[in-house]
Amino acid sequence: MKVWQGLGRVPTDLGKTVVTIGNFDGVHAGHRELLDHVVERARALGATSVAMTFDPHPALLHRPQEAPAQLTGLADKLELMAATGLDAVLVVAYTHDFAAQSPEQFVRRYLAEALRPVEVVVGEDVRFGADNAGDRSLMAELGERYGFGVVVLDDILAPRTERRWSSTWARDLLEAGDVTALAGVLGRSHFMRGAVVHGEARGRELGFPTANLDPASSGAVPADGVYAGWLVRADGTRLPAAISIGTNPTFDGEVRQVEAHVIGRDDLDLYGEEVVVEFVRLLRPTLRFSGVEELVAQMHADCAEALEVLGLLG
């Protein structure tokens, strides 16, 4: 998949395209159905399939104090989008100037002049242009004016529910720590990606060394608690892990940390390495223990339960 960082990177000899537009945070199951449709339509029409997305997320510009945590960083989002078979993604820098364009200015410059679509595929709730003034009806009107068709997909509902797939639903589950249900929305386990940094080494002292993720890691942080999951190294090696999120209340900690203990391994030197931490199931909430012995006993139990959840026992 080609990635065009900005309008100036779009080839002038691109040819006809089928285009969709969105933030695609998390690239959840609903996003993938939409992108699959774009890929299928492009192949049927002999066109290039293109998705337009934005960086940063518009909410970070318009209401930074209320902006939701992003489920995936840009690099991971692009990788997940590539897995759908898209031919290209245009990453648009979301700035105040960009946001100030009228709906027609946006369509003329980014669609009609740059991507030259024969078809634009959007969801029912599409919004574009200054103050989100453009909607699906206006997109259809502008499509007639500029020579492209518009396909509006109905809301895509999750099977056996009346709820539409959405990044908001995914974030609600993440904030509740329900990473098992979240995997159903995303179609994969939720993960974070970041460098391993030095912590307080308390886990090592207790016999449970941990890989502490850099606070700047990408991917939204689930609710505090202990999770079964995987630590994935850069070479693809997947290691079973008990993952702790919280402030270490037994030791009166104040800094919220994400730290993964690779079960059964105390020989790993991961400092400085970029790793992925995948969350499979919440084992328990964060607790304050009466002392070290009680904590260590619980950590042994957590590891045993994590191995069972990951199918590595029995």
Side-chain angles (χ1 to χ4, degrees):
M1 184 184 78
K2 297 176 182 177
V3 178
W4 302 318
Q5 295 280 356
L7 211 55
R9 299 290 185 176
V10 177
T12 56
D13 60 348
L14 179 58
K16 61 184 180 181
T17 64
V18 174
V19 177
T20 191
I21 305 162
N23 292 309
F24 302 110
D25 184 30
V27 195
H28 56 62
H31 289 145
R32 287 200 306 281
E33 286 197 35
L34 170 64
L35 296 174
D36 287 346
H37 184 85
V38 170
V39 171
E40 290 171 6
R41 288 296 297 160
R43 288 174 180 168
L45 296 170
T48 299
S49 56
V50 180
M52 184 190 308
T53 193
F54 308 100
D55 185 52
H57 191 289
L60 290 169
L61 188 80
H62 295 299
R63 50 182 195 282
Q65 302 306 317
E66 304 171 18
Q70 299 307 289
L71 295 167
T72 50
L74 178 60
D76 287 315
K77 177 169 75 170
L78 293 174
E79 185 173 325
L80 291 165
M81 294 175 77
T84 67
L86 277 171
D87 294 313
V89 172
L90 169 60
V91 181
V92 175
Y94 195 88
T95 64
H96 287 291
D97 285 344
F98 175 84
Q101 296 177 106
S102 71
E104 183 167 4
Q105 286 174 323
F106 166 73
V107 167
R108 184 179 67 248
R109 184 181 181 196
Y110 283 81
L111 295 179
E113 295 177 357
L115 296 176
R116 298 182 295 280
V118 292
E119 194 166 276
V120 173
V121 181
V122 295
E124 289 186 338
D125 60 350
V126 66
R127 292 291 185 274
F128 58 98
D131 300 319
N132 283 331
D135 59 11
R136 60 180 182 169
S137 297
L138 183 55
M139 182 66 80
E141 178 185 322
L142 292 171
E144 289 185 10
R145 187 177 307 169
Y146 288 103
F148 58 83
V150 175
V151 175
V152 180
L153 296 185
D154 294 336
D155 281 343
I156 303 170
L157 303 182
R160 298 180 297 281
T161 77
E162 292 301 319
R163 187 163 187 176
R164 65 186 290 271
W165 300 113
S166 71
S167 299
T168 299
W169 184 10
R171 292 189 193 96
D172 289 345
L173 292 170
L174 194 73
E175 290 173 6
D178 192 350
V179 294
T180 305
L182 176 60
V185 175
L186 297 178
R188 57 174 173 81
S189 294
H190 176 67
F191 63 85
M192 297 181 64
R193 182 188 300 274
V196 177
V197 298
H198 289 277
E200 297 178 351
R202 187 170 287 121
R204 183 170 296 279
E205 294 170 3
L206 298 175
F208 295 87
T210 60
N212 294 264
L213 283 190
D214 188 328
S217 298
S218 65
V221 183
D224 287 3
V226 176
Y227 296 80
W230 301 91
L231 183 143
V232 186
R233 303 189 70 175
D235 64 2
T237 302
R238 297 172 63 81
L239 302 168
I243 308 156
S244 174
I245 300 176
T247 60
N248 292 317
T250 301
F251 299 98
D252 297 319
E254 297 181 355
V255 179
R256 191 169 186 239
Q257 295 178 316
V258 178
E259 46 189 326
H261 166 64
V262 176
I263 300 170
R265 299 288 297 270
D266 60 7
D267 59 328
L268 296 172
D269 182 4
L270 300 173
Y271 292 120
E273 183 174 330
E274 183 179 84
V275 299
V276 168
V277 173
E278 293 182 7
F279 302 88
V280 174
R281 185 184 299 176
L282 176 65
L283 302 179
R284 62 173 176 84
T286 299
L287 302 171
R288 177 186 290 273
F289 295 94
S290 61
V292 171
E293 288 186 7
E294 185 182 3
L295 171 59
V296 169
Q298 182 61 58
M299 292 167 77
H300 280 293
D302 293 338
C303 290
E305 186 178 359
L307 290 175
E308 184 175 359
V309 166
L310 299 173
L312 299 176
L313 281 184

